[in-house]
Amino acid sequence: MLFADSGLSDASISVLLAIWSTTAVVFEVPSGAIADRFSRRSSLVAAGLLQALGYASWVLFPSFWGFAAGFVLWGLGGTLTSGAFEALLYDGLAANGDEALYGKLNARVDTIELIAQVPVAVIATVLFSFGGYELTGWISVAMCVASSVIALRFPEPPRESDEHESYFATLREGLRASVPIKRAVLAVALVYAIDAFEEYFALLAQDWHVPTVWVPLATIGVPLLGAAGASLGGRLPFRGWVLFAAGVVLMLAAVWAVPWAIVLLGLFYGLYRFVLVQVETELQHRIESDARATVTSVASIGSEFVAFAIYGLWVLGSAFAIGVLILVVALVIRRQ
């Protein structure tokens, strides 16, 4: 909404998101290897600081180039988080012999992340009412810095590769380890890419005639349904038709195109998050290398290429076309 209200077209907004993805494509795997070779905790700390700088750029320079600079900084931060967090969580459990609990804990993390969007939506509405985008932006900067401070307290189990391998050896090991489990890597890449569509939820609400100031509250049920789906993802067995159903629901919402269609948008998101937890958990269980963050980053870089299709389809055909793409992804992963 900030970009649209600053005068940018849908095409310009998609270009900005493409810049974000391009940054991830360039730095995703190298940053994963950095986390594996040096410190996953330090990667998370740096990620929060870079994202804070990105938001500051948006507030100080609310133009296309200011937004682009912010996305590059945020993209760098995102690559440091991607892979590092999952690896830190899984290896922390494995150090105590509890790696079998990863699926449930990963689902719980996703659930908490989504539920947190509810109070954030209320706070964002209040902040926007009093101080517009500027006040909201500076509070976002502060929250990113706070996340880095919290990350400093994360425990990190030692790894043998910390002392015996160079950075490039770690990078090569991660790339090699991705080959035997390429089906699981591809599934995560394809499914995770759909998350790029979340960036358009607010614009969808506007297109469906919801006033800007009420968009955060109007869409408050979407992350709640997403949280419900994520929580079930750690408890119920995966069924291939779930993602296909998610695509159909999204297409129905796009055709309806009224404020109440947000209910269908939430249902789509719940089904999608259920599938995402399942494929992410399956990948982590299949990784046998110490270069866990690098392997996860390989899946993430694949998702960025598919995300380009999401951005393009938004410009060409909006949510309906993205729903069709999701149907294609569902058919592909069923064959894996």
Side-chain angles (χ1 to χ4, degrees), residues 6-27:
S6 296
L8 272 62
S9 65
D10 282 354
S12 296
I13 293 173
S14 286
V15 169
L16 288 174
L17 295 176
I19 291 173
W20 191 19
S21 288
T22 300
T23 303
V25 167
V26 174
F27 295 102

Side-chain angles (χ1 to χ4, degrees), residues 172-196:
R172 289 193 297 271
E173 179 186 347
L175 293 175
R176 285 196 300 266
S178 301
V179 177
I181 56 173
K182 56 183 179 296
R183 291 185 176 182
V185 171
L186 178 61
V188 171
L190 291 174
V191 174
Y192 188 68
I194 299 170
D195 202 49

Side-chain angles (χ1 to χ4, degrees), residues 33 44 61 65 68 77 84 94 108 113 122 125 209 218 254 288 296-297 313 323 335:
L44 297 180
F61 310 103
W65 293 111
R108 189 177 303 171
E113 176 187 353
V122 176
T125 301
H209 313 296
E288 298 180 353
T296 307
S297 291
L313 289 174
R335 295 177 180 273

Side-chain angles (χ1 to χ4, degrees), residues 303-317:
S303 74
E304 296 299 336
F305 285 108
V306 184
F308 284 117
I310 299 287
Y311 305 146
L313 289 174
W314 174 261
V315 176
L316 297 176

Side-chain angles (χ1 to χ4, degrees), residues 12-315:
S12 296
I13 293 173
S14 286
V15 169
L16 288 174
L17 295 176
I19 291 173
W20 191 19
S21 288
T22 300
T23 303
V25 167
V26 174
F27 295 102
E28 182 69 58
V29 174
S31 66
I34 288 174
D36 281 329
R37 174 58 185 87
F38 300 104
S39 171
R40 293 155 181 175
R41 177 176 55 206
S42 297
S43 292
L44 297 180
V45 173
L49 296 177
L50 285 168
Q51 188 170 347
L53 290 173
Y55 287 157
S57 175
W58 290 359
V59 176
L60 295 173
F61 310 103
S63 63
F64 177 86
W65 293 111
F67 298 146
F71 267 126
V72 170
L73 290 166
W74 187 0
L76 289 171
T79 61
L80 288 171
T81 301
S82 176
F85 177 78
E86 293 88 343
L88 187 64
L89 179 60
Y90 191 95
D91 285 347
L93 290 170
N96 295 320
D98 294 327
E99 58 268 33
L101 298 177
Y102 176 82
K104 291 183 178 179
L105 189 55
N106 184 41
R108 189 177 303 171
V109 170
D110 276 12
T111 301
I112 294 172
E113 176 187 353
L114 291 165
I115 291 177
Q117 294 183 32
V118 176
V120 168
V122 176
I123 295 171
T125 301
V126 174
L127 291 175
F128 184 83
S129 299
F130 282 98
Y133 292 117
E134 184 172 359
L135 177 60
T136 307
W138 286 121
I139 295 298
S140 299
V141 170
M143 294 303 295
C144 289
V145 174
S147 72
S148 291
V149 174
I150 294 172
L152 282 170
R153 300 182 59 84
F154 288 173
E156 182 171 11
R159 302 183 306 280
E160 293 183 4
S161 60
D162 287 348
E163 299 179 359
H164 301 296
E165 288 189 351
S166 67
Y167 165 78
F168 290 104
T170 302
L171 178 60
R172 289 193 297 271
E173 179 186 347
L175 293 175
R176 285 196 300 266
S178 301
V179 177
I181 56 173
K182 56 183 179 296
R183 291 185 176 182
V185 171
L186 178 61
V188 171
L190 291 174
V191 174
Y192 188 68
I194 299 170
D195 202 49
F197 178 51
E198 183 185 4
E199 305 302 325
Y200 294 107
F201 286 177
L203 292 178
L204 267 181
Q206 282 187 320
D207 289 344
W208 295 343
H209 313 296
V210 177
T212 299
V213 70
W214 294 112
V215 167
L217 290 179
T219 56
I220 202 169
V222 176
L224 285 177
L225 288 171
S231 65
L232 293 175
R235 301 178 183 180
L236 299 179
F238 173 64
R239 295 291 182 269
W241 57 263
V242 176
L243 187 60
F244 191 89
V248 172
V249 170
L250 178 59
M251 293 166 65
L252 291 174
V255 172
W256 195 11
V258 297
W260 283 107
I262 293 175
V263 175
L264 290 180
L265 182 65
L267 178 58
F268 148 76
Y269 199 52
L271 294 171
Y272 162 69
R273 297 297 296 211
F274 172 85
V275 176
L276 180 60
V277 168
Q278 298 284 9
V279 296
E280 285 181 334
T281 300
E282 177 67 17
L283 175 61
Q284 292 302 319
H285 284 311
R286 286 176 176 266
I287 298 173
E288 298 180 353
S289 167
D290 285 338
R292 183 174 299 277
T294 308
V295 176
T296 307
S297 291
V298 171
S300 296
I301 196 174
S303 74
E304 296 299 336
F305 285 108
V306 184
F308 284 117
I310 299 287
Y311 305 146
L313 289 174
W314 174 261
V315 176

